[in-house]
Amino acid sequence: MRRTSYKLTLSAVAAAAMLMFPGALPASASSTSAGSAAAAGAALTLTGGSCEGLARRFLCSVAFSGAVAPVSVRWFVDGSHVPAYDNRTFVGIGCQPTFRYDIRAVISDGTGASVEYRSNPVCRSGNP
């Protein structure tokens, strides 16, 4: 049996990781000189966000474009910052059935620009 070895470059690994886990890589690993030049011409924009209600849980996500490194994502539930969710674009938030929650994600970039996603869902009861 013949073995074949492949050599992966850091940029190839970073590109694959960005496709699989957007927002998971630190800003320094995901930026290139071409990417930085393109991002400098675009402003930070919120391109999507949602909080899907399941039984006793919300699955929330945010998407953005035009950010200049370093980028941070901060999550807040009912006005309280939740550091465990920081720098994630997808989080699962536990909740108490029948209560309404104020969920915010604030995305900031290296230029000082920031955008906010906000949702006020009601927690559902039932089995997961």
Side-chain angles (χ1 to χ4, degrees):
M1 184 166 153
R2 183 179 168 183
R3 276 195 145 159
T4 305
S5 65
Y6 297 95
K7 183 176 179 182
L8 295 175
T9 64
L10 178 59
S11 59
V13 172
M18 285 300 291
L19 290 173
M20 292 173 51
F21 307 103
L25 288 178
S28 61
S30 64
S31 64
T32 63
S33 59
S36 297
L44 175 61
T45 305
L46 184 67
T47 59
S50 69
C51 274
E52 179 74 28
L54 300 176
R56 295 180 163 80
R57 178 163 295 283
F58 298 116
L59 299 180
C60 300
S61 66
V62 292
F64 54 91
S65 65
V68 176
V71 178
S72 70
V73 179
R74 294 178 48 144
W75 290 88
F76 299 84
V77 177
D78 287 338
S80 296
H81 177 226
V82 184
Y85 299 154
D86 280 358
N87 300 317
R88 297 175 187 225
T89 57
F90 182 84
V91 296
I93 301 170
C95 62
Q96 181 67 34
T98 72
F99 285 86
R100 181 173 297 279
Y101 287 79
D102 177 36
I103 299 173
R104 282 188 315 135
V106 178
I107 300 106
S108 304
D109 75 0
T111 67
S114 66
V115 292
E116 179 179 293
Y117 167 76
R118 183 173 232 147
S119 182
N120 295 97
V122 174
C123 186
R124 295 178 24 192
S125 62
N127 295 324

